[in-house]
Amino acid sequence: MRREKGLKKIEKTFRIPLPEIRKFIRDFHSEMQKGLSGGRGSLKMIHTYVEKPKGTEKGRLLALDLGGTNFRVVALELKGNRKMKAPLIEKFVLKKKHIIGKGKVLFDFIADCIKTFMNKHNMPIGAKQKLGFTFSFPVKKKGIASGALLRWTKGFSASGVEGEDVVKLLNGSLRRKGLSNTKVAALANDTVSTLVARSYEDPNCDVGVILGTGTNACYPEKDRMIINIEWGNFNKLRRTSYDCELDEDSGNTGEQIFEKMVSGMYLGEVARRLAEDLLPKIRFPGGFKSEYISVVESDTSKGLTITNRLLKKLEIRNSKYADRKFLKEACTVVSTRAARLAAAAISSVVTRMDPHLSKRHTVAIDGSVYEKHPHFSNRVKAAIKEIFGRKALRIKLVLTKDASAKGAAIIAAI
Ligand code: BGC
């Protein structure tokens, strides 16, 4: 009985009803305006020096994608008629020493990976090669191929990088590794790359969104320049005590408040904090990964046996059915809130460009949360329908995989 009462209370505090979404949109619009006019809001609204591509860009290019636990190198051929050849992609895993060690170690590793990639695919090491670099962190752009890291997010803390031009740091490593003819021609955020990659093929695309380890979006302003919103830092939000405690215990208290309620880096941790009284063995931070949310919410078996198997893996051997049911509810409220907040943010961006939805908009979305969670994309779509009614048909959400590297290559070709 007590548990049921507790559950009702939790459901209520995590619910985001339509009036709250409408308030979110109003606040988001005013924060966007503040950011654009140089005020001190929570949205940075970074000018990217990039416009949408025309679809005629051509060439063979290399691209790098750094922003989560994987680092990718991609080779791409653009045909110039809104088409591209299937890219070559290699994934490399970042170790702790790259993520939280010295910046030089991180950038040297990147240069080594490029070399490995070139050798594997018989590309001449010393030859001139244009490179697009997707770097998925808040960067103050100074031009198309330069920009200083404002601050690390998503658990990165490699030293000597904040405040520095990341293209300069990469060029230094390229030189040290004998790749001085490999030149960074474009530096881009992953949202910008995603938007550019999708709009190369689909001219209606005007929003790029990432819902993965971190979260963020971009769109073209009236002057056509693409703005990197850095929406992960939006903070006009109603938080629960769980959110506040998570924030207090994080390495970047007071920052990335929206990201902490929406992205894969944190969702598992929010759910864990909800369920820890019942499942004491997961009492340590990080003990419940976001991907487990997908496992639990996909479990439709009668006795929640898949969840039981997962808990056994986490050394919780004798969970009661009621505990498993509670865990499933906890996962559901946390991920549903995330989906509705994501829908509110997407709606805010679209209506900034087109308040009455008089045109069609394709929203290109990439990221593990959107791609892998069994219900996330449907819940985002349902919330957008609730917000706009029939007009929601004008907003098309498309999963755009691997775009974050491709887009940087296209920008390098512009
Ligand atoms: C970063 C953004 C990035 C997003 C998605 C956030 O933590 O600040 O720059 O676009 O993650 O990767």
Side-chain angles (χ1 to χ4, degrees), residues 46 66-68 135-139 149 151-155 189-192 209-217 228 230-233 252 256 259 263 265-266 366:
I46 299 169
L66 177 75
F135 182 74
S136 313
F137 299 94
V139 161
L149 173 65
R151 56 186 154 69
W152 284 117
T153 57
K154 296 176 282 197
N189 184 259
D190 50 354
T191 57
V192 179
V209 174
I210 301 290
L211 288 161
T213 309
T215 185
N216 187 16
N228 167 11
E230 283 296 334
W231 79 15
N233 199 47
N252 56 351
Q256 302 295 98
E259 184 158 279
S263 85
M265 173 106 195
Y266 305 98
D366 198 3

Side-chain angles (χ1 to χ4, degrees), residues 184 211 230 318 379:
V184 180
L211 288 161
E230 283 296 334
N318 46 7
R379 288 180 192 151

Side-chain angles (χ1 to χ4, degrees), residues 107 126 256 348 397:
F107 285 95
Q256 302 295 98
S348 307
L397 307 187

Side-chain angles (χ1 to χ4, degrees), residues 254-313:
E255 286 170 16
Q256 302 295 98
I257 299 297
F258 180 70
E259 184 158 279
K260 285 170 181 156
M261 296 163 86
V262 172
S263 85
M265 173 106 195
Y266 305 98
L267 287 185
E269 181 58 15
V270 183
R272 186 194 70 80
R273 283 170 186 258
L274 277 174
E276 76 176 339
D277 291 345
L278 292 171
L279 303 165
K281 278 254 168 84
I282 49 170
R283 200 160 265 169
F284 57 94
F288 193 76
K289 295 185 189 160
S290 293
E291 61 209 58
Y292 300 158
I293 292 187
S294 297
V295 176
V296 172
E297 281 190 66
S298 304
D299 188 357
T300 50
S301 66
K302 217 168 149 217
L304 294 175
T305 47
I306 298 167
T307 304
N308 199 18
R309 210 175 305 147
L310 170 73
L311 290 175
K312 281 189 178 147
K313 222 175 79 184

